[in-house]
Amino acid sequence: VCSMEVCEISEEIKTTFKEFSKGTNVTKNKNCAIVMHVPKGTCEMKVEERLESLSFEDIGRELPETEPRFVGYLFEWKRGLDRIQYPLVLIFWCPPTGNHTLNMKYTSTKTHLENLINPSKCIDITDEDDFTEENLLEKLLKA
C-alpha cells in the first residue's frame, strides 16, 4: 500500500481516455464525466463511476465532501455561432476537510494521470462552490 508514492493507473482508465482522444465512445451533445478514485488499501487509481448528461455544477454535487477525486470531464463548449469544441478537462477535487494522507496520495499521482490522459486543461478545486460553469469557462480561457 502506498502513502506518498505515485499510484498505478488502471487499464480501464487508460482505455477510456484512449477512446476519448479518438472521439469514439463519446455521445454528442452530452457531457460525460469519469470519476476516478483510489480504493482504500490499494495504490491503484480506478474508475469509480461514469456520469453522463450532467452539468458541471451537478458533478460537484456528486463528489464526496471529505475525500479527493479526479474527474475527467468531456463537454460540449459552444464558442460563437458555428464553433463547437469538446475539451477534456481533468479536475482534481481536493476538499479541505479530507484526510491529509489521502490528499497526498492523490496529489502525488496527479502529474502521472495528467501526462497519461493529456487534458485540454487541469483544474484544482477545493471548494464545492467553485463547481460553476462560469468558473470552468474562465479557467479554460486562461492560457
Side-chain angles (χ1 to χ4, degrees), residues 49-114:
E49 64 182 321
R50 185 179 181 128
L51 306 169
E52 291 195 12
S53 300
L54 290 180
S55 70
F56 191 61
E57 291 86 354
D58 291 336
I59 290 167
R61 288 189 282 273
E62 291 290 322
L63 299 175
E65 293 179 15
T66 60
E67 292 182 19
R69 290 293 187 272
F70 286 110
V71 180
Y73 184 52
L74 186 72
F75 69 102
E76 182 181 80
W77 184 15
K78 294 181 182 177
R79 302 189 67 186
L81 296 174
D82 58 352
R83 189 168 168 208
I84 296 175
Q85 290 181 293
Y86 291 89
L88 173 60
V89 178
L90 178 62
I91 302 154
F92 176 35
W93 166 241
C94 190
T97 56
N99 174 290
H100 180 68
T101 303
L102 189 57
N103 289 349
M104 289 304 296
K105 185 186 287 191
Y106 278 77
T107 301
S108 66
T109 304
K110 180 181 169 189
T111 301
H112 181 53
L113 183 61
E114 191 174 351

Side-chain angles (χ1 to χ4, degrees), residues 35-51:
V35 180
M36 297 164 278
H37 73 131
V38 178
K40 281 188 179 181
T42 74
C43 193
E44 183 180 28
M45 182 75 55
K46 297 184 179 242
V47 172
E48 182 175 39
E49 64 182 321
R50 185 179 181 128
L51 306 169

